[in-house]
Amino acid sequence: PRGKLLHRKLIWHSRLGPRLRKYILRLPASYSFCRMSPLIVDFHPYYDDALYETNWSNWFKLADAKGIVMVYPAGSADNTGRIGPWLQHPEYKEYAGSLPSWNALGSDLGVGGSDSKFGSNRQYCVNNLNGTWQGLYPCYESCSRLLGDSCLNYPNLPRLKFNHPCISSTCYNDTDFIDHLMHHLHNSLCVDIAHVHATGQSIGGMMSMEVGARLSHHFSSVVASSSAPLLSSFDFQSTVTVPILLARGLRDGTIPAEKELGYAPNPNGSWCKCNGRIDPHNPPRSENFSYPKKICPNCPEAPQNFFKNQYAISGDGYFYKLHHRFLDEWASGLPYRTKKIFKGYRTPFDGINGFTCKVTHVTTLQTPNTPRYSANKAVEFSEASLYFSENSADIAADVALFGKAPGNGTLTRVPMVVSCYFDGKHCYPFQDDDCNWLEGAEEGSYWPKVAW
């Protein structure tokens, strides 16, 4: 049925044995098995599930207008019955049963993959409580099984079970699952392989970046919101082949874009807060158990060399790569010679909620019909170039830098990395501080139109 949410299941053979995985499929009203359609894979954030994401990310109207097939995979919730202490609060009571998560960009310290950092001497999250972990995320069965022992049980919280230090998700190899899902979709749907894209918010955005980097033979681009790689993530310089647009809230302390948006630990492992209050047990939160509106970029008790570290610390104690440094790293992995710039990338919604975008890295390609090849797949970038104003002097400089492209097509600059900011918290652009769509933004599909 077109225009309906189709709940699907498939068996995925994981490292820990066969596992039933779920996803939601939505075909546009115009879908035909005789005509190739673009495909978007939309990853839900932590706490939430695939069904929630179908409504929250607001893609339906644009998907029908553009004939886009939407797929919403479901993360693993193998933590059932095991919750962290911060979920004891009434605000989070509804999540006590399960927490669907994605194993993305170092959230499992590589335990479920081949680049394990578990046991490394390098610090990936804040330690306090006499050396125990700050965040105390719930124990996921997959992590416990892969590490060969039971979940951790802290003496001061004897009734609760937790993941191991600095692990904040399931340890199932979700990248392998998505690879399996993509093969399944290509075998069952008529999909235009040149227009398959990944998107998501929070850890869903992290998962979209994970598959964009690891599975570039399946995906053509990545659009992520309120996301960043953990410091424990892999090196993007040798894996990336697709362009990216990354949007960040200027008041996001959950996954801060820069050091100044995060938190600072004191030498004794406690936290500092802007008003000088020291809480030795929890990251700074307001009385209603939400992140504070103000931040503490320069607490006097913080280690003197703290701000020399090239990472930002989130409200739950994790170290994230900085926004601008990560985008440089992503661009360095692209299979083209890119040039770093800082130039406006216009959208119809500039200025709404402070939304603005800049192109940070470009390449010079031939148009029309200049293909990018990735695992026998050609992707046309002529459409993308329509949204980026050309400048003959800039292009001439690029020709001198890159060398003239072969053939008779017109040379044009094409944006490969786009950085967007908005005046908001850990939400989508065009949402208020409670992550509700601004007036007109939902009906007008502001964010999906920017992403598309």
Side-chain angles (χ1 to χ4, degrees), residues 38-252:
L39 170 67
I40 292 178
V41 182
D42 186 356
F43 296 93
H44 64 78
Y46 204 71
Y47 311 131
D48 302 316
D49 55 24
L51 182 60
Y52 181 90
E53 183 69 5
T54 61
N55 285 311
W56 194 45
S57 61
N58 195 33
W59 273 96
F60 290 170
K61 183 181 292 186
L62 189 69
D64 282 338
K66 300 291 185 180
I68 305 168
V69 175
M70 296 297 302
V71 172
Y72 304 88
S76 293
D78 52 306
N79 70 291
T80 304
R82 307 182 180 100
I83 57 176
W86 48 279
L87 290 176
Q88 299 293 312
H89 192 277
E91 182 179 340
Y92 298 98
K93 191 174 182 180
E94 61 182 293
Y95 304 115
S98 65
L99 285 174
S101 67
W102 293 109
N103 180 355
L105 302 185
S107 61
D108 74 333
L109 292 184
V111 169
S114 58
D115 54 353
S116 177
K117 296 179 175 64
F118 187 78
S120 168
N121 291 327
R122 191 172 184 183
Q123 189 176 4
Y124 296 110
C125 65
V126 172
N127 291 309
N128 69 0
L129 292 174
N130 298 320
T132 57
W133 175 50
Q134 172 69 37
L136 298 179
Y137 274 79
C139 176
Y140 285 83
E141 181 186 4
S142 53
C143 303
S144 180
R145 290 176 63 188
L146 287 168
L147 290 169
D149 54 17
S150 60
C151 302
L152 298 182
N153 194 335
Y154 291 121
N156 56 335
L157 297 164
R159 294 181 294 104
L160 302 172
K161 301 285 187 179
F162 307 102
N163 254 350
H164 288 260
C166 298
I167 295 178
S168 57
S169 72
T170 181
C171 288
Y172 281 111
N173 189 336
D174 283 326
T175 305
D176 186 66
F177 159 59
I178 296 300
D179 185 43
H180 178 71
L181 173 62
M182 296 307 295
H183 283 291
H184 170 74
L185 294 173
H186 284 302
N187 288 332
S188 56
L189 298 171
C190 188
V191 172
D192 182 355
I193 62 172
H195 292 285
V196 180
H197 312 279
T199 189
Q201 191 268 343
S202 190
I203 199 171
M206 293 167 64
M207 191 63 200
S208 70
M209 290 188 282
E210 170 88 21
V211 299
R214 302 270 203 183
L215 304 176
S216 59
H217 54 290
H218 287 309
F219 293 94
S220 304
S221 71
V222 170
V223 173
S225 177
S226 305
S227 307
L230 289 154
L231 192 62
S232 53
S233 179
F234 54 86
D235 182 2
F236 290 87
Q237 293 175 335
S238 59
T239 57
V240 175
T241 63
V242 300
I244 186 173
L245 183 149
L246 180 58
R248 307 296 302 277
L250 290 173
R251 291 180 287 115
D252 185 352

Side-chain angles (χ1 to χ4, degrees), residues 325-345:
R325 288 183 175 271
F326 158 64
L327 292 180
D328 285 346
E329 186 180 331
W330 185 282
S332 68
L334 291 167
Y336 321 97
R337 297 177 65 182
T338 59
K339 183 178 180 181
K340 188 172 182 178
I341 64 172
F342 197 70
K343 192 169 184 178
Y345 186 85

Side-chain angles (χ1 to χ4, degrees), residues 298-317:
N298 193 20
C299 296
E301 298 89 353
Q304 187 174 3
N305 65 346
F306 169 73
F307 290 100
K308 295 180 181 179
N309 297 325
Q310 298 304 310
Y311 53 80
I313 297 184
S314 63
D316 54 356

Side-chain angles (χ1 to χ4, degrees), residues 269-307:
S270 63
W271 289 75
C272 63
K273 196 176 181 180
C274 288
N275 61 12
R277 173 177 172 266
I278 301 298
D279 186 345
H281 301 297
N282 296 297
R285 299 181 186 275
S286 62
E287 287 68 22
N288 65 356
F289 215 67
S290 61
Y291 291 103
K293 290 184 178 180
K294 293 185 177 181
I295 54 179
C296 53
N298 193 20
C299 296
E301 298 89 353
Q304 187 174 3
N305 65 346
F306 169 73
F307 290 100

